[in-house]
Amino acid sequence: MEPASIHPTAVRIDLGAIFVSLELSRSTWLITSLSPGSGEKMSKHVVAGGNVAELLDRFEQLQQKARLRTGKLFPIVTIQEAGLDGFWIHRVLETHGIESYVVDAASIATSRRRRRAKTDKIDGEALTRTLLAFKRGEPRVCAMVRAPDPKDEDRRRICRERKVLIAERVRHVNRVKGLLFAQGVSGYQPLRKDRRQRLEELQTGDGRELPKHLKAQINRELDRLELLLEQIAAVESERNSLLSMDEQPAVEATSPAAMLLSLKGVGAEFAAVLWTEALSRHFDNRRQIAAYAGLTPTPWMSGTIDHEQGVSKAGNPRLRTTMIQLSWLWLRNQPASALSRWFVDRVQSNGGRLKKAAIVALARKLLIALWKFVTAGVVIEGAVMKTA
């Protein structure tokens, strides 16, 4: 008697929907779909990039083909990777009643071979299988991205633009100082209001006047620097208006931004970044907000190996950097708080070492404490509020 042949288990597609993955690029969009009644074969179709009408027509064709095979009309469920396209395609699909998901591409398991094949076709099929597993309820199969509200998404541009402008200001200041240092001039501060007058008074290290073309180049650098200073002031004015209590209705007197500003050591920029980057979103628990900031531990445990690799750094880098900076300021401005006392005791128990590791742990605890403070009104133990 011959042994029974072993056949691979078929893919389950009995969830009553047409599963579609979108591989997006500037020129083309690859649509990979798996429909009921088509077995395990995935169909692929290419539409022009940005052509939403053609995309919706293709979805309608998929529904009609599935209806001819099965006699039923199935809904469309789509998935796409988070990327440079943002969330506008996701919002268009939801507007047309299509169930849409945006996935973090780094959370999808891939082959660990040194040389693995990678094409849009392979990626599209992998995305479709990931969507199937997610809808079946398999745990930890991927991490879906929560699309922010358009107003919240637009609001956080203020702090991000200011950071870009500050970086450009630093580059212009360093360039001016470098040009002067090559002539033996040091101590010139381009950010002072009398920058133009002091430039006319400068002399080279060997007692000469500044060369004509060098002075003209520096003046052009100062023109760009002054424009940047005006733009930074305008952005900061928008930020202050956003945080101002006078601009908010009376019913929002206890808004997250106002509550953060009431804490000693938290200024307008920190409050704006915390509010726009994190606290305007919804989190179910403290683990979610810590993971969003990339402040969760990453243990490496296998057999007798037990090693901690540090924080994951997989979340929002702007929020993580801000929390590290705020943690150092928290120690200075809130020394009597329970979090500051915990940090001091932790460092002293290690003989004054491992301050950097401890400050990261403090940043995680402080972020969770601030989240509880603005969402549930849980007062941070020992925290001092600003005087009126």
Side-chain angles (χ1 to χ4, degrees), residues 331-366:
L331 295 175
R332 180 188 303 175
N333 294 283
Q334 302 280 1
S337 65
L339 292 175
S340 298
R341 295 198 304 270
W342 173 87
F343 176 84
V344 173
D345 294 341
R346 183 70 175 269
V347 173
Q348 289 179 350
S349 65
N350 292 322
R353 298 177 291 110
L354 303 178
K355 285 187 177 180
K356 290 184 178 180
I359 202 67
V360 174
L362 176 63
R364 182 179 185 275
K365 289 178 174 289
L366 179 58

PDB file of all heavy atoms in Angstrom, residues 331-366:
ATOM      1  N   LEU A 331      15.246  67.229  35.199  1.00  0.00           N
ATOM      2  CA  LEU A 331      16.101  67.044  36.379  1.00  0.00           C
ATOM      3  C   LEU A 331      16.509  68.393  36.970  1.00  0.00           C
ATOM      4  O   LEU A 331      16.639  68.523  38.194  1.00  0.00           O
ATOM      5  CB  LEU A 331      17.346  66.245  36.006  1.00  0.00           C
ATOM      6  CG  LEU A 331      17.125  64.800  35.556  1.00  0.00           C
ATOM      7  CD1 LEU A 331      18.430  64.188  35.098  1.00  0.00           C
ATOM      8  CD2 LEU A 331      16.519  63.975  36.674  1.00  0.00           C
ATOM      9  N   ARG A 332      16.691  69.395  36.100  1.00  0.00           N
ATOM     10  CA  ARG A 332      17.121  70.711  36.580  1.00  0.00           C
ATOM     11  C   ARG A 332      15.955  71.491  37.175  1.00  0.00           C
ATOM     12  O   ARG A 332      16.109  72.164  38.204  1.00  0.00           O
ATOM     13  CB  ARG A 332      17.741  71.498  35.430  1.00  0.00           C
ATOM     14  CG  ARG A 332      18.219  72.888  35.824  1.00  0.00           C
ATOM     15  CD  ARG A 332      18.640  73.673  34.595  1.00  0.00           C
ATOM     16  NE  ARG A 332      19.677  72.991  33.842  1.00  0.00           N
ATOM     17  CZ  ARG A 332      20.151  73.421  32.675  1.00  0.00           C
ATOM     18  NH1 ARG A 332      19.625  74.522  32.127  1.00  0.00           N
ATOM     19  NH2 ARG A 332      21.107  72.758  32.049  1.00  0.00           N
ATOM     20  N   ASN A 333      14.785  71.425  36.549  1.00  0.00           N
ATOM     21  CA  ASN A 333      13.657  72.250  36.966  1.00  0.00           C
ATOM     22  C   ASN A 333      12.705  71.554  37.931  1.00  0.00           C
ATOM     23  O   ASN A 333      11.918  72.222  38.596  1.00  0.00           O
ATOM     24  CB  ASN A 333      12.863  72.705  35.727  1.00  0.00           C
ATOM     25  CG  ASN A 333      13.653  73.637  34.839  1.00  0.00           C
ATOM     26  OD1 ASN A 333      13.805  74.816  35.130  1.00  0.00           O
ATOM     27  ND2 ASN A 333      14.168  73.108  33.732  1.00  0.00           N
ATOM     28  N   GLN A 334      12.738  70.221  37.979  1.00  0.00           N
ATOM     29  CA  GLN A 334      11.836  69.471  38.865  1.00  0.00           C
ATOM     30  C   GLN A 334      12.647  68.494  39.734  1.00  0.00           C
ATOM     31  O   GLN A 334      12.413  67.288  39.717  1.00  0.00           O
ATOM     32  CB  GLN A 334      10.806  68.693  38.039  1.00  0.00           C
ATOM     33  CG  GLN A 334       9.944  69.535  37.124  1.00  0.00           C
ATOM     34  CD  GLN A 334       8.797  70.204  37.875  1.00  0.00           C
ATOM     35  OE1 GLN A 334       8.659  70.047  39.095  1.00  0.00           O
ATOM     36  NE2 GLN A 334       7.955  70.934  37.167  1.00  0.00           N
ATOM     37  N   PRO A 335      13.608  69.008  40.507  1.00  0.00           N
ATOM     38  CA  PRO A 335      14.464  68.089  41.284  1.00  0.00           C
ATOM     39  C   PRO A 335      13.724  67.354  42.397  1.00  0.00           C
ATOM     40  O   PRO A 335      14.173  66.290  42.848  1.00  0.00           O
ATOM     41  CB  PRO A 335      15.541  69.020  41.861  1.00  0.00           C
ATOM     42  CG  PRO A 335      14.878  70.366  41.924  1.00  0.00           C
ATOM     43  CD  PRO A 335      13.954  70.409  40.746  1.00  0.00           C
ATOM     44  N   ALA A 336      12.583  67.900  42.850  1.00  0.00           N
ATOM     45  CA  ALA A 336      11.857  67.268  43.961  1.00  0.00           C
ATOM     46  C   ALA A 336      10.814  66.268  43.480  1.00  0.00           C
ATOM     47  O   ALA A 336      10.159  65.620  44.310  1.00  0.00           O
ATOM     48  CB  ALA A 336      11.179  68.339  44.816  1.00  0.00           C
ATOM     49  N   SER A 337      10.642  66.098  42.175  1.00  0.00           N
ATOM     50  CA  SER A 337       9.637  65.160  41.679  1.00  0.00           C
ATOM     51  C   SER A 337      10.092  63.717  41.893  1.00  0.00           C
ATOM     52  O   SER A 337      11.283  63.430  42.043  1.00  0.00           O
ATOM     53  CB  SER A 337       9.376  65.403  40.188  1.00  0.00           C
ATOM     54  OG  SER A 337      10.530  65.116  39.435  1.00  0.00           O
ATOM     55  N   ALA A 338       9.116  62.821  41.897  1.00  0.00           N
ATOM     56  CA  ALA A 338       9.433  61.405  42.106  1.00  0.00           C
ATOM     57  C   ALA A 338      10.300  60.853  40.977  1.00  0.00           C
ATOM     58  O   ALA A 338      11.172  60.005  41.208  1.00  0.00           O
ATOM     59  CB  ALA A 338       8.126  60.602  42.216  1.00  0.00           C
ATOM     60  N   LEU A 339      10.093  61.331  39.761  1.00  0.00           N
ATOM     61  CA  LEU A 339      10.897  60.854  38.632  1.00  0.00           C
ATOM     62  C   LEU A 339      12.351  61.286  38.774  1.00  0.00           C
ATOM     63  O   LEU A 339      13.266  60.496  38.491  1.00  0.00           O
ATOM     64  CB  LEU A 339      10.320  61.395  37.327  1.00  0.00           C
ATOM     65  CG  LEU A 339       8.949  60.850  36.927  1.00  0.00           C
ATOM     66  CD1 LEU A 339       8.433  61.564  35.682  1.00  0.00           C
ATOM     67  CD2 LEU A 339       9.020  59.351  36.681  1.00  0.00           C
ATOM     68  N   SER A 340      12.588  62.523  39.204  1.00  0.00           N
ATOM     69  CA  SER A 340      13.960  62.987  39.401  1.00  0.00           C
ATOM     70  C   SER A 340      14.637  62.227  40.529  1.00  0.00           C
ATOM     71  O   SER A 340      15.826  61.867  40.427  1.00  0.00           O
ATOM     72  CB  SER A 340      13.971  64.496  39.694  1.00  0.00           C
ATOM     73  OG  SER A 340      13.442  65.222  38.604  1.00  0.00           O
ATOM     74  N   ARG A 341      13.918  61.979  41.619  1.00  0.00           N
ATOM     75  CA  ARG A 341      14.506  61.212  42.723  1.00  0.00           C
ATOM     76  C   ARG A 341      14.828  59.788  42.287  1.00  0.00           C
ATOM     77  O   ARG A 341      15.849  59.228  42.691  1.00  0.00           O
ATOM     78  CB  ARG A 341      13.535  61.199  43.908  1.00  0.00           C
ATOM     79  CG  ARG A 341      13.305  62.569  44.526  1.00  0.00           C
ATOM     80  CD  ARG A 341      12.711  62.436  45.924  1.00  0.00           C
ATOM     81  NE  ARG A 341      11.481  61.660  45.916  1.00  0.00           N
ATOM     82  CZ  ARG A 341      10.267  62.173  45.758  1.00  0.00           C
ATOM     83  NH1 ARG A 341      10.118  63.488  45.600  1.00  0.00           N
ATOM     84  NH2 ARG A 341       9.181  61.414  45.774  1.00  0.00           N
ATOM     85  N   TRP A 342      13.957  59.206  41.434  1.00  0.00           N
ATOM     86  CA  TRP A 342      14.238  57.858  40.920  1.00  0.00           C
ATOM     87  C   TRP A 342      15.524  57.855  40.098  1.00  0.00           C
ATOM     88  O   TRP A 342      16.350  56.946  40.215  1.00  0.00           O
ATOM     89  CB  TRP A 342      13.081  57.389  40.057  1.00  0.00           C
ATOM     90  CG  TRP A 342      13.351  56.088  39.357  1.00  0.00           C
ATOM     91  CD1 TRP A 342      13.153  54.828  39.835  1.00  0.00           C
ATOM     92  CD2 TRP A 342      13.910  55.938  38.040  1.00  0.00           C
ATOM     93  NE1 TRP A 342      13.552  53.892  38.905  1.00  0.00           N
ATOM     94  CE2 TRP A 342      14.011  54.538  37.794  1.00  0.00           C
ATOM     95  CE3 TRP A 342      14.323  56.830  37.057  1.00  0.00           C
ATOM     96  CZ2 TRP A 342      14.527  54.040  36.597  1.00  0.00           C
ATOM     97  CZ3 TRP A 342      14.832  56.332  35.870  1.00  0.00           C
ATOM     98  CH2 TRP A 342      14.922  54.958  35.649  1.00  0.00           C
ATOM     99  N   PHE A 343      15.719  58.876  39.272  1.00  0.00           N
ATOM    100  CA  PHE A 343      16.927  58.954  38.442  1.00  0.00           C
ATOM    101  C   PHE A 343      18.170  59.075  39.317  1.00  0.00           C
ATOM    102  O   PHE A 343      19.181  58.382  39.091  1.00  0.00           O
ATOM    103  CB  PHE A 343      16.823  60.150  37.503  1.00  0.00           C
ATOM    104  CG  PHE A 343      18.055  60.384  36.680  1.00  0.00           C
ATOM    105  CD1 PHE A 343      18.247  59.694  35.500  1.00  0.00           C
ATOM    106  CD2 PHE A 343      19.019  61.291  37.092  1.00  0.00           C
ATOM    107  CE1 PHE A 343      19.392  59.909  34.730  1.00  0.00           C
ATOM    108  CE2 PHE A 343      20.159  61.510  36.338  1.00  0.00           C
ATOM    109  CZ  PHE A 343      20.345  60.811  35.152  1.00  0.00           C
ATOM    110  N   VAL A 344      18.125  59.940  40.316  1.00  0.00           N
ATOM    111  CA  VAL A 344      19.287  60.139  41.192  1.00  0.00           C
ATOM    112  C   VAL A 344      19.618  58.851  41.937  1.00  0.00           C
ATOM    113  O   VAL A 344      20.791  58.448  42.029  1.00  0.00           O
ATOM    114  CB  VAL A 344      19.023  61.300  42.169  1.00  0.00           C
ATOM    115  CG1 VAL A 344      20.147  61.397  43.196  1.00  0.00           C
ATOM    116  CG2 VAL A 344      18.879  62.612  41.402  1.00  0.00           C
ATOM    117  N   ASP A 345      18.605  58.181  42.479  1.00  0.00           N
ATOM    118  CA  ASP A 345      18.854  56.921  43.196  1.00  0.00           C
ATOM    119  C   ASP A 345      19.415  55.865  42.260  1.00  0.00           C
ATOM    120  O   ASP A 345      20.309  55.089  42.646  1.00  0.00           O
ATOM    121  CB  ASP A 345      17.552  56.423  43.830  1.00  0.00           C
ATOM    122  CG  ASP A 345      17.045  57.359  44.924  1.00  0.00           C
ATOM    123  OD1 ASP A 345      17.856  58.163  45.422  1.00  0.00           O
ATOM    124  OD2 ASP A 345      15.845  57.286  45.250  1.00  0.00           O
ATOM    125  N   ARG A 346      18.923  55.823  41.036  1.00  0.00           N
ATOM    126  CA  ARG A 346      19.395  54.815  40.076  1.00  0.00           C
ATOM    127  C   ARG A 346      20.864  55.048  39.712  1.00  0.00           C
ATOM    128  O   ARG A 346      21.658  54.099  39.646  1.00  0.00           O
ATOM    129  CB  ARG A 346      18.516  54.871  38.830  1.00  0.00           C
ATOM    130  CG  ARG A 346      18.841  53.821  37.764  1.00  0.00           C
ATOM    131  CD  ARG A 346      18.454  52.442  38.234  1.00  0.00           C
ATOM    132  NE  ARG A 346      18.647  51.454  37.180  1.00  0.00           N
ATOM    133  CZ  ARG A 346      17.714  51.099  36.299  1.00  0.00           C
ATOM    134  NH1 ARG A 346      16.518  51.693  36.354  1.00  0.00           N
ATOM    135  NH2 ARG A 346      17.951  50.188  35.396  1.00  0.00           N
ATOM    136  N   VAL A 347      21.220  56.306  39.493  1.00  0.00           N
ATOM    137  CA  VAL A 347      22.604  56.615  39.131  1.00  0.00           C
ATOM    138  C   VAL A 347      23.536  56.385  40.320  1.00  0.00           C
ATOM    139  O   VAL A 347      24.646  55.842  40.162  1.00  0.00           O
ATOM    140  CB  VAL A 347      22.702  58.064  38.617  1.00  0.00           C
ATOM    141  CG1 VAL A 347      24.160  58.471  38.403  1.00  0.00           C
ATOM    142  CG2 VAL A 347      21.931  58.226  37.310  1.00  0.00           C
ATOM    143  N   GLN A 348      23.117  56.775  41.509  1.00  0.00           N
ATOM    144  CA  GLN A 348      23.957  56.570  42.692  1.00  0.00           C
ATOM    145  C   GLN A 348      24.170  55.102  42.999  1.00  0.00           C
ATOM    146  O   GLN A 348      25.254  54.701  43.437  1.00  0.00           O
ATOM    147  CB  GLN A 348      23.332  57.273  43.895  1.00  0.00           C
ATOM    148  CG  GLN A 348      23.410  58.800  43.831  1.00  0.00           C
ATOM    149  CD  GLN A 348      22.770  59.463  45.027  1.00  0.00           C
ATOM    150  OE1 GLN A 348      22.098  58.806  45.846  1.00  0.00           O
ATOM    151  NE2 GLN A 348      22.948  60.773  45.146  1.00  0.00           N
ATOM    152  N   SER A 349      23.168  54.271  42.750  1.00  0.00           N
ATOM    153  CA  SER A 349      23.331  52.828  42.985  1.00  0.00           C
ATOM    154  C   SER A 349      24.341  52.206  42.035  1.00  0.00           C
ATOM    155  O   SER A 349      24.902  51.140  42.321  1.00  0.00           O
ATOM    156  CB  SER A 349      21.984  52.124  42.835  1.00  0.00           C
ATOM    157  OG  SER A 349      21.506  52.225  41.504  1.00  0.00           O
ATOM    158  N   ASN A 350      24.565  52.860  40.880  1.00  0.00           N
ATOM    159  CA  ASN A 350      25.565  52.377  39.923  1.00  0.00           C
ATOM    160  C   ASN A 350      26.902  53.088  40.060  1.00  0.00           C
ATOM    161  O   ASN A 350      27.744  53.002  39.153  1.00  0.00           O
ATOM    162  CB  ASN A 350      25.045  52.560  38.490  1.00  0.00           C
ATOM    163  CG  ASN A 350      23.871  51.662  38.185  1.00  0.00           C
ATOM    164  OD1 ASN A 350      23.821  50.519  38.619  1.00  0.00           O
ATOM    165  ND2 ASN A 350      22.912  52.177  37.415  1.00  0.00           N
ATOM    166  N   GLY A 351      27.077  53.795  41.151  1.00  0.00           N
ATOM    167  CA  GLY A 351      28.341  54.482  41.373  1.00  0.00           C
ATOM    168  C   GLY A 351      28.538  55.703  40.504  1.00  0.00           C
ATOM    169  O   GLY A 351      29.679  56.083  40.196  1.00  0.00           O
ATOM    170  N   GLY A 352      27.450  56.320  40.088  1.00  0.00           N
ATOM    171  CA  GLY A 352      27.544  57.504  39.245  1.00  0.00           C
ATOM    172  C   GLY A 352      27.719  57.212  37.777  1.00  0.00           C
ATOM    173  O   GLY A 352      27.908  58.135  36.974  1.00  0.00           O
ATOM    174  N   ARG A 353      27.651  55.951  37.381  1.00  0.00           N
ATOM    175  CA  ARG A 353      27.831  55.579  35.981  1.00  0.00           C
ATOM    176  C   ARG A 353      26.470  55.367  35.304  1.00  0.00           C
ATOM    177  O   ARG A 353      25.434  55.441  35.941  1.00  0.00           O
ATOM    178  CB  ARG A 353      28.663  54.306  35.867  1.00  0.00           C
ATOM    179  CG  ARG A 353      30.084  54.448  36.424  1.00  0.00           C
ATOM    180  CD  ARG A 353      30.847  53.136  36.362  1.00  0.00           C
ATOM    181  NE  ARG A 353      30.274  52.164  37.305  1.00  0.00           N
ATOM    182  CZ  ARG A 353      29.605  51.088  36.932  1.00  0.00           C
ATOM    183  NH1 ARG A 353      29.391  50.854  35.650  1.00  0.00           N
ATOM    184  NH2 ARG A 353      29.133  50.250  37.830  1.00  0.00           N
ATOM    185  N   LEU A 354      26.505  55.098  34.004  1.00  0.00           N
ATOM    186  CA  LEU A 354      25.324  54.754  33.208  1.00  0.00           C
ATOM    187  C   LEU A 354      24.254  55.854  33.236  1.00  0.00           C
ATOM    188  O   LEU A 354      23.060  55.587  33.268  1.00  0.00           O
ATOM    189  CB  LEU A 354      24.721  53.430  33.686  1.00  0.00           C
ATOM    190  CG  LEU A 354      25.659  52.216  33.687  1.00  0.00           C
ATOM    191  CD1 LEU A 354      24.940  50.996  34.240  1.00  0.00           C
ATOM    192  CD2 LEU A 354      26.175  51.952  32.287  1.00  0.00           C
ATOM    193  N   LYS A 355      24.715  57.118  33.192  1.00  0.00           N
ATOM    194  CA  LYS A 355      23.742  58.212  33.180  1.00  0.00           C
ATOM    195  C   LYS A 355      22.935  58.243  31.882  1.00  0.00           C
ATOM    196  O   LYS A 355      21.747  58.553  31.886  1.00  0.00           O
ATOM    197  CB  LYS A 355      24.461  59.550  33.383  1.00  0.00           C
ATOM    198  CG  LYS A 355      24.909  59.803  34.815  1.00  0.00           C
ATOM    199  CD  LYS A 355      25.456  61.213  34.947  1.00  0.00           C
ATOM    200  CE  LYS A 355      25.850  61.497  36.394  1.00  0.00           C
ATOM    201  NZ  LYS A 355      26.381  62.882  36.547  1.00  0.00           N
ATOM    202  N   LYS A 356      23.600  57.921  30.758  1.00  0.00           N
ATOM    203  CA  LYS A 356      22.900  57.974  29.485  1.00  0.00           C
ATOM    204  C   LYS A 356      21.798  56.919  29.415  1.00  0.00           C
ATOM    205  O   LYS A 356      20.711  57.175  28.896  1.00  0.00           O
ATOM    206  CB  LYS A 356      23.891  57.789  28.339  1.00  0.00           C
ATOM    207  CG  LYS A 356      24.827  58.966  28.145  1.00  0.00           C
ATOM    208  CD  LYS A 356      25.729  58.765  26.928  1.00  0.00           C
ATOM    209  CE  LYS A 356      26.633  59.977  26.726  1.00  0.00           C
ATOM    210  NZ  LYS A 356      27.530  59.781  25.537  1.00  0.00           N
ATOM    211  N   ALA A 357      22.101  55.723  29.919  1.00  0.00           N
ATOM    212  CA  ALA A 357      21.068  54.682  29.927  1.00  0.00           C
ATOM    213  C   ALA A 357      19.922  55.067  30.862  1.00  0.00           C
ATOM    214  O   ALA A 357      18.745  54.833  30.554  1.00  0.00           O
ATOM    215  CB  ALA A 357      21.678  53.349  30.338  1.00  0.00           C
ATOM    216  N   ALA A 358      20.262  55.683  31.979  1.00  0.00           N
ATOM    217  CA  ALA A 358      19.231  56.074  32.941  1.00  0.00           C
ATOM    218  C   ALA A 358      18.369  57.213  32.405  1.00  0.00           C
ATOM    219  O   ALA A 358      17.165  57.268  32.681  1.00  0.00           O
ATOM    220  CB  ALA A 358      19.870  56.471  34.265  1.00  0.00           C
ATOM    221  N   ILE A 359      18.972  58.125  31.632  1.00  0.00           N
ATOM    222  CA  ILE A 359      18.174  59.243  31.127  1.00  0.00           C
ATOM    223  C   ILE A 359      17.187  58.763  30.074  1.00  0.00           C
ATOM    224  O   ILE A 359      16.085  59.321  29.934  1.00  0.00           O
ATOM    225  CB  ILE A 359      19.093  60.346  30.561  1.00  0.00           C
ATOM    226  CG1 ILE A 359      18.355  61.699  30.552  1.00  0.00           C
ATOM    227  CG2 ILE A 359      19.565  60.019  29.156  1.00  0.00           C
ATOM    228  CD1 ILE A 359      18.048  62.249  31.902  1.00  0.00           C
ATOM    229  N   VAL A 360      17.537  57.724  29.319  1.00  0.00           N
ATOM    230  CA  VAL A 360      16.588  57.156  28.359  1.00  0.00           C
ATOM    231  C   VAL A 360      15.419  56.516  29.096  1.00  0.00           C
ATOM    232  O   VAL A 360      14.258  56.652  28.696  1.00  0.00           O
ATOM    233  CB  VAL A 360      17.296  56.149  27.440  1.00  0.00           C
ATOM    234  CG1 VAL A 360      16.290  55.446  26.535  1.00  0.00           C
ATOM    235  CG2 VAL A 360      18.347  56.840  26.599  1.00  0.00           C
ATOM    236  N   ALA A 361      15.725  55.798  30.179  1.00  0.00           N
ATOM    237  CA  ALA A 361      14.654  55.218  30.985  1.00  0.00           C
ATOM    238  C   ALA A 361      13.776  56.300  31.596  1.00  0.00           C
ATOM    239  O   ALA A 361      12.549  56.162  31.668  1.00  0.00           O
ATOM    240  CB  ALA A 361      15.251  54.332  32.073  1.00  0.00           C
ATOM    241  N   LEU A 362      14.396  57.403  32.014  1.00  0.00           N
ATOM    242  CA  LEU A 362      13.617  58.520  32.558  1.00  0.00           C
ATOM    243  C   LEU A 362      12.734  59.136  31.478  1.00  0.00           C
ATOM    244  O   LEU A 362      11.583  59.524  31.749  1.00  0.00           O
ATOM    245  CB  LEU A 362      14.563  59.571  33.137  1.00  0.00           C
ATOM    246  CG  LEU A 362      13.903  60.852  33.658  1.00  0.00           C
ATOM    247  CD1 LEU A 362      12.964  60.549  34.821  1.00  0.00           C
ATOM    248  CD2 LEU A 362      14.961  61.881  34.067  1.00  0.00           C
ATOM    249  N   ALA A 363      13.252  59.229  30.256  1.00  0.00           N
ATOM    250  CA  ALA A 363      12.455  59.785  29.157  1.00  0.00           C
ATOM    251  C   ALA A 363      11.201  58.956  28.927  1.00  0.00           C
ATOM    252  O   ALA A 363      10.118  59.501  28.682  1.00  0.00           O
ATOM    253  CB  ALA A 363      13.301  59.850  27.887  1.00  0.00           C
ATOM    254  N   ARG A 364      11.332  57.632  29.001  1.00  0.00           N
ATOM    255  CA  ARG A 364      10.156  56.769  28.819  1.00  0.00           C
ATOM    256  C   ARG A 364       9.150  56.980  29.945  1.00  0.00           C
ATOM    257  O   ARG A 364       7.948  57.127  29.717  1.00  0.00           O
ATOM    258  CB  ARG A 364      10.594  55.309  28.770  1.00  0.00           C
ATOM    259  CG  ARG A 364       9.449  54.324  28.534  1.00  0.00           C
ATOM    260  CD  ARG A 364       9.976  52.896  28.470  1.00  0.00           C
ATOM    261  NE  ARG A 364       8.928  51.955  28.122  1.00  0.00           N
ATOM    262  CZ  ARG A 364       8.093  51.399  28.981  1.00  0.00           C
ATOM    263  NH1 ARG A 364       8.192  51.700  30.269  1.00  0.00           N
ATOM    264  NH2 ARG A 364       7.163  50.554  28.575  1.00  0.00           N
ATOM    265  N   LYS A 365       9.632  57.003  31.186  1.00  0.00           N
ATOM    266  CA  LYS A 365       8.740  57.213  32.323  1.00  0.00           C
ATOM    267  C   LYS A 365       8.082  58.594  32.269  1.00  0.00           C
ATOM    268  O   LYS A 365       6.893  58.748  32.568  1.00  0.00           O
ATOM    269  CB  LYS A 365       9.525  57.065  33.634  1.00  0.00           C
ATOM    270  CG  LYS A 365       9.958  55.638  33.965  1.00  0.00           C
ATOM    271  CD  LYS A 365      10.769  55.620  35.247  1.00  0.00           C
ATOM    272  CE  LYS A 365      11.085  54.189  35.660  1.00  0.00           C
ATOM    273  NZ  LYS A 365       9.862  53.490  36.139  1.00  0.00           N
ATOM    274  N   LEU A 366       8.844  59.605  31.868  1.00  0.00           N
ATOM    275  CA  LEU A 366       8.304  60.963  31.812  1.00  0.00           C
ATOM    276  C   LEU A 366       7.247  61.086  30.719  1.00  0.00           C
ATOM    277  O   LEU A 366       6.207  61.733  30.924  1.00  0.00           O
ATOM    278  CB  LEU A 366       9.439  61.953  31.568  1.00  0.00           C
ATOM    279  CG  LEU A 366       9.051  63.433  31.468  1.00  0.00           C
ATOM    280  CD1 LEU A 366       8.341  63.899  32.740  1.00  0.00           C
ATOM    281  CD2 LEU A 366      10.284  64.287  31.219  1.00  0.00           C
TER     282      LEU A 366
END
